[in-house]
């Protein structure tokens, strides 16, 4: 069924015991984030904060479970979606060789056409209340983390169009509030909104922009989906909910927005204005994205429906709510990827620890030698998958979401000497590990089952206990703080080490030499290095930390012909003179944690959940959005 708005969706969540209504006052400044973080990291419910100092409730964590995400897409499960999308794409993309084939495609196309968005001139429910002298302060906009540059709208559906082609886009770009009538517009260089902005700049005219919040929750997902440019996001929304989206014209510009949106913020961007400083912001990477220059958005009008609910999300150390958006994208876009680029793909997984762009795992049906390498090269140039930093390709009877099985498969079928590709290309703007913004290097691993023509790795029987004593020598020498042999419990020839900082610096060269002296490479084929504060027993955090903090070419070292070390430590303090500021870990501050502890049982009728930040604060370096500048200056 299609939802009539966020209010109906929230009521349904409430009936299914997927939502808690919080009637106690909770401050949108930092407190709502702390409640949400505790809930999402413990598979908790959606939260509706009805008392926040404004006239509008805040709905958060609404998408943070398989059940709620399926409900948001108007489905009971996701399994039915890929086949339906495949049929539609088949009708649209495959050539028809004869009349019978063309006739056979008509029913599907008719059904598809019936789901196209429709435009209407009359006012919609989203315009029940009109504020022609707007003040964004009427909305309960969140400040999420202590070092954020301000309050941010975190689930905006930003509507723009190209001045010449008139092609539309609905994208999700965070918006920092500056005052009651202006915000920043954080569209990154690769985004369609930024492309539209550059086109408007050439015309010398004011760029109209309208921002929708709420409405049918499927709109929010559609705005995040990796659709090709010039494909209307409301086509996908209409298909998922099996009902066309009714669009109405804005009050102060000619942009059309969903009739059932909860809020619409209308305005413009003047391309002749200089960009403004935006940020920092506690981002989905788990680190702060630091200050940058972005366009200023001027608000000309705010409209909203009666009984509107303000939707929000919080990003931070994964897993967070956005992980379910990524999971949905895996399922929906596998079939299009098969049909348009790589027919051999059988499955695609973007693990939460990789925050969507740091790690992708692909399973293929392998039929010829070199096919794994072919897929690696293709994916590094495929749509938004071009941002992938680490890519693993496998084949055979394997569940790529079973990480123990995946690890065993990787070591059985991979020679790090022959099956690893390094290359350079575009990276996500939020990747902080590269010396250059939005550009850096990548690693592809061909872990497919090798054929006769391909080089196979031969395993050697070695007792890991022999190396335990030598690793303890490195601990005694102060080169490493500790180590975790994954072979102990999982029979995987991998090692995690934590490296001590000496005078604020981790010396990876000395650690590498020490590992070579211990001959660790004869058994440990993969060695992962993290900072001394990281808990080596928490494999999820180790994976997240390594993937975020390493740049594959710079930070991969060969310990032997068959063994590699990946350095996932902070680079800001190193002798290499890292050229960019290194962001800090995102955590709540102690005061907010204590305040929420005191409020918990008055707000949440379930078992007390301690703050996740208590676990992660040890990873912070100093008390700012970037790592401690005083330490940086001491060792510069």
């Amino acid at each position: 069924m299609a939802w009539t708005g966020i209010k109906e969706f929230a009521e349904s969540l409430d009936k299914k015991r997927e939502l808690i209504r919080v009637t106690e006052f909770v401050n949108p400044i930092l407190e709502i984030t702390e409640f949400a973080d505790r809930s999402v990291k413990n598979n908790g419910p959606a939260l509706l904060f009805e008392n926040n100092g404004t006239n509008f409730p805040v709905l958060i964590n609404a998408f943070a479970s398989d059940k709620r995400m399926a409900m948001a897409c108007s489905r009971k499960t996701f399994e039915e979606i890929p086949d339906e999308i495949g049929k539609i794409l088949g009708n649209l993309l495959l050539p028809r060789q004869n009349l019978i084939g063309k006739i056979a495609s008509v029913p599907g196309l008719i059904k598809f056409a019936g789901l196209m968005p429709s435009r209407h001139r009359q006012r919609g429910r989203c315009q029940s209340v009109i504020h022609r002298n707007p003040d964004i302060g009427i909305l309960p906009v969140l400040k999420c983390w202590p070092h954020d540059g301000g309050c941010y709208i975190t689930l905006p559906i930003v509507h723009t169009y190209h001045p010449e082609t008139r092609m539309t886009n609905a994208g999700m770009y965070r918006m920092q509030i500056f005052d009651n009538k202006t915000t920043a517009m954080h569209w990154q260089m690769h985004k369609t909104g930024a492309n539209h902005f550059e086109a408007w700049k050439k015309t010398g005219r004011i760029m109209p922009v309208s921002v929708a919040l709420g409405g049918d929750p499927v709109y929010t997902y559609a705005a995040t989906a990796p659709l090709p440019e010039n494909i209307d996001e409301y086509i996908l929304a209409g298909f998922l909910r099996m009902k066309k989206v009714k669009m109405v014209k804005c009050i102060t510009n000619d942009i059309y927005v969903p009739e059932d949106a909860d809020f619409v913020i209308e305005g413009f961007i003047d391309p002749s204005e200089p960009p403004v400083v935006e940020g920092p912001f506690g981002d989905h990477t788990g680190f702060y994205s630091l200050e940058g220059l972005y366009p200023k958005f001027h608000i000309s009008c705010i409209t909203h429906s009666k009984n509107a609910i303000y939707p929000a999300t919080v990003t931070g150390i994964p897993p967070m709510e956005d992980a379910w958006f990524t999971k949905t994208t895996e399922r929906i876009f596998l079939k299009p990827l098969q049909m348009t680029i790589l027919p051999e793909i059988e499955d695609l997984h973007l693990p939460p620890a990789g925050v969507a762009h740091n790690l992708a795992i692909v399973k293929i049906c392998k039929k010829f030698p070199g096919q794994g390498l072919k897929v690696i090269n293709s994916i590094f140039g495929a749509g938004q998958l071009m941002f992938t930093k680490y890519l693993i390709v496998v084949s055979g009877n394997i569940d790529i979401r079973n990480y123990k099985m995946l690890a065993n498969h990787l070591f059985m079928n991979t020679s790090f000497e022959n099956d690893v590709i390094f290359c350079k290309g575009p990276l996500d703007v939020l990747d902080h590990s590269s010396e250059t913004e939005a550009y850096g290097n990548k690693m592809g691993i061909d872990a497919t089952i090798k054929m006769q023509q391909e080089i196979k790795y031969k395993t050697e029987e070695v007792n890991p206990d022999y190396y335990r004593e030598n690793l303890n020598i490195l601990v005694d020498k102060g080169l490493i703080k500790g180590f975790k042999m994954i072979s102990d419990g999982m029979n995987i020839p991998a090692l995690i080490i934590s490296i001590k900082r000496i005078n604020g610096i981790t010396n990876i060269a000395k650690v590498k030499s020490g590992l070579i002296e211990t001959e660790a490479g004869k058994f440990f084929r993969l060695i992962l290095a993290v900072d001394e504060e990281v808990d080596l027993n928490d494999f999820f955090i180790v994976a997240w930390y390594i993937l975020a903090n390493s740049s594959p070419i710079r930070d991969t070292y060969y310990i032997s012909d068959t063994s590699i070390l990946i350095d996932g430590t902070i680079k800001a303090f190193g002798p290499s003179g890292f050229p960019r500021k290194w962001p800090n870990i995102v955590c709540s501050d102690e005061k907010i944690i204590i305040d929420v502890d005191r409020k918990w049982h008055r707000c949440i009728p379930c078992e007390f959940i301690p703050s996740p930040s208590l676990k992660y604060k040890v990873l912070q370096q100093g008390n700012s959005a970037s790592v401690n500048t005083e330490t940086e200056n001491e060792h510069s």
Side-chain angles (χ1 to χ4, degrees):
M1 61 169 285
W3 301 102
T4 59
I6 285 285
K7 185 174 186 295
E8 184 189 24
F9 180 57
E11 289 172 349
S12 181
L13 292 177
D14 196 6
K15 289 177 183 177
K16 295 179 184 295
R17 298 185 178 180
E18 290 284 332
L19 177 140
I20 290 177
R21 295 179 179 270
V22 181
T23 57
E24 183 85 10
F25 173 75
V26 178
N27 199 326
I29 307 301
L30 301 178
E31 286 189 356
I32 287 181
T33 291
E34 178 61 19
F35 276 99
D37 194 31
R38 298 185 192 202
S39 182
V40 72
K41 283 189 170 60
N42 289 275
N43 301 311
L47 301 172
L48 186 68
F49 293 93
E50 298 178 321
N51 184 356
N52 56 62
T54 74
N55 294 325
F56 306 105
V58 174
L59 178 64
I60 202 163
N61 284 356
F63 302 91
S65 76
D66 287 349
K67 182 177 181 179
R68 298 201 292 274
M69 192 74 220
M71 288 175 63
C73 292
S74 298
R75 305 297 171 115
K76 293 181 180 179
T77 66
F78 295 121
E79 280 68 22
E80 66 204 68
I81 299 174
D83 287 340
E84 292 183 17
I85 286 186
K87 291 175 184 177
I88 293 293
L89 280 178
N91 286 326
L92 292 175
L93 300 175
L94 299 182
R96 303 296 169 186
Q97 301 299 327
N98 53 52
L99 180 61
I100 293 177
K102 292 177 181 178
I103 293 174
S105 71
V106 169
L109 293 176
I110 291 175
K111 179 182 178 182
F112 183 71
L115 301 174
M116 299 288 282
S118 60
R119 291 187 169 191
H120 302 265
R121 300 290 294 186
Q122 69 269 31
R123 289 182 181 175
R125 282 173 289 171
C126 63
Q127 297 158 333
S128 299
V129 181
I130 301 174
H131 300 269
R132 295 184 184 272
N133 183 23
D135 178 2
I136 198 69
I138 66 173
L139 302 183
V141 183
L142 307 186
K143 181 176 181 180
C144 298
W145 300 104
H147 303 301
D148 282 357
C151 295
Y152 282 83
I153 299 174
T154 53
L155 282 181
I157 307 171
V158 180
H159 297 74
T160 61
Y161 64 87
H162 194 283
E164 296 176 358
T165 67
R166 307 288 294 189
M167 298 300 292
T168 61
N169 180 67
M172 187 160 290
Y173 318 118
R174 72 181 189 234
M175 298 166 61
Q176 180 181 345
I177 307 299
F178 292 142
D179 54 43
N180 64 345
K181 286 186 170 61
T182 62
T183 79
M185 189 61 71
H186 187 268
W187 46 45
Q188 300 162 6
M189 64 181 72
H190 304 107
K191 304 299 184 180
T192 303
N195 293 339
H196 287 179
F197 173 72
E198 292 301 321
W200 279 97
K201 185 185 293 186
K202 292 177 182 177
T203 70
R205 291 183 284 148
I206 299 296
M207 176 184 184
V209 179
S210 288
V211 179
L213 292 162
D216 190 321
V218 76
Y219 306 155
T220 300
Y221 168 69
T224 72
L227 291 169
E229 192 164 336
N230 298 328
I231 299 296
D232 193 325
E233 285 75 15
Y234 292 108
I235 295 175
L236 174 61
F239 175 79
L240 289 172
R241 72 187 206 142
M242 297 308 294
K243 182 180 179 180
K244 69 170 63 178
V245 180
K246 182 179 178 181
M247 311 288 287
V248 295
K249 186 178 177 296
C250 287
I251 303 297
T252 61
N253 61 36
D254 58 354
I255 290 176
Y256 283 76
V257 293
E259 183 270 344
D260 58 349
D262 283 63
F263 299 91
V264 178
I265 306 169
E266 303 178 15
F268 64 89
I269 291 175
D270 183 352
S272 68
E273 280 189 326
V276 291
V277 176
E278 188 266 5
F281 176 73
D283 228 313
H284 78 279
T285 59
F287 296 80
Y288 283 95
S289 55
L290 302 180
E291 292 180 344
L293 296 175
Y294 288 90
K296 179 186 284 188
F297 173 61
H298 298 265
I299 302 170
S300 57
C301 182
I302 296 176
T303 70
H304 59 83
S305 64
K306 296 178 181 178
N307 301 314
I309 291 177
Y310 178 83
T313 192
V314 175
T315 53
I317 294 175
M320 297 296 276
E321 191 172 5
D322 60 291
W324 278 270
F325 287 79
T326 301
K327 191 173 183 179
T328 305
T329 294
E330 286 178 9
R331 299 180 181 192
I332 291 179
F333 287 90
L334 176 61
K335 183 68 71 172
L337 188 62
Q338 289 172 327
M339 297 188 66
T340 58
I341 301 176
L342 293 164
E344 58 263 73
I345 286 187
E346 294 183 328
D347 202 359
L348 166 69
H349 179 41
L350 305 173
V355 296
H357 48 77
N358 284 340
L359 174 64
I361 302 165
V362 172
K363 177 182 173 182
I364 68 170
C365 177
K366 185 170 180 178
K367 296 181 179 179
F368 55 84
Q371 194 171 4
L373 300 176
K374 174 251 187 186
V375 169
I376 290 172
N377 287 308
S378 297
I379 286 182
F380 279 149
Q384 291 194 34
L385 284 171
M386 70 177 177
F387 299 126
T388 304
K389 183 158 65 171
Y390 288 93
L391 172 63
I392 301 172
V393 180
V394 301
S395 64
N397 184 22
I398 176 175
D399 177 2
I400 60 176
R401 291 167 181 81
N402 182 326
Y403 298 143
K404 182 176 180 180
M405 180 186 293
L406 178 67
N408 275 297
H409 181 95
L410 184 147
F411 287 110
M412 286 177 61
N413 295 285
T414 304
S415 162
F416 288 122
E417 182 182 16
N418 300 296
D419 298 327
V420 175
I421 292 177
F422 294 99
C423 65
K424 294 184 178 182
L427 293 175
D428 190 282
V429 170
L430 301 181
D431 188 287
H432 62 263
S433 67
S434 178
E435 288 90 344
T436 307
E437 182 185 27
Y439 175 77
N441 45 78
K442 306 162 179 282
M443 175 191 288
I445 300 175
D446 177 10
T448 58
I449 298 171
K450 299 302 183 287
M451 294 183 168
Q452 184 177 358
Q453 301 94 324
E454 297 174 300
I455 299 174
K456 299 180 181 180
Y457 175 74
K458 296 182 180 179
T459 59
E460 297 182 11
E461 292 294 332
V462 183
N463 183 358
D465 290 334
Y466 169 77
Y467 300 101
R468 195 185 304 271
E469 293 182 8
N470 289 337
L471 290 170
N472 279 320
I473 292 174
L474 297 185
V475 174
D476 294 338
K477 288 182 176 180
L479 286 179
I480 64 176
K481 179 182 179 181
F483 59 89
K484 174 74 175 180
M485 302 169 69
I486 304 181
S487 56
D488 285 350
M490 299 176 63
N491 196 31
I492 293 170
L495 173 71
I496 309 169
I497 59 174
S498 56
I499 304 182
K500 283 189 173 182
R501 272 188 297 276
I502 300 175
N503 296 324
I505 297 174
T506 55
N507 194 324
I508 193 68
K510 285 188 176 180
V511 172
K512 175 189 170 185
S513 297
L515 290 169
I516 291 174
E517 290 174 7
T518 67
E519 298 184 318
K522 287 186 177 180
F523 177 76
F524 300 109
R525 297 178 52 217
L526 176 63
I527 303 172
L528 303 174
V530 295
D531 286 298
E532 60 183 300
E533 297 86 1
V534 177
D535 179 0
L536 302 187
N537 294 303
D538 190 333
F539 292 161
F540 181 91
I541 290 299
V542 168
W544 162 70
Y545 202 84
I546 289 280
L547 292 167
N549 288 332
S550 61
S551 182
I553 294 177
R554 181 195 65 217
D555 294 328
T556 301
Y557 302 88
Y558 278 85
I559 303 301
S560 69
D561 290 342
T562 58
S563 176
I564 60 173
L565 163 69
I566 298 179
D567 174 18
T569 62
I570 293 172
K571 306 304 183 299
F573 303 142
S576 60
F578 192 79
R580 297 201 291 158
K581 285 186 177 181
W582 197 275
N584 219 336
I585 301 290
V586 173
C587 287
S588 289
D589 62 32
E590 292 181 11
K591 180 181 183 304
I592 293 299
I593 293 172
I594 293 171
D595 289 345
V596 171
D597 284 350
R598 291 170 176 167
K599 286 185 176 183
W600 183 267
H601 287 300
R602 301 200 305 269
C603 296
I604 307 295
C606 60
E607 184 179 352
F608 175 78
I609 299 174
S611 174
S613 292
L614 296 174
K615 176 180 179 180
Y616 303 129
K617 285 186 76 68
V618 67
L619 301 176
Q620 287 186 316
Q621 302 292 323
N623 187 30
S624 65
S626 58
V627 295
N628 196 314
T629 52
E630 293 181 5
T631 306
E632 190 173 12
N633 291 335
E634 288 174 10
H635 303 288
S636 60

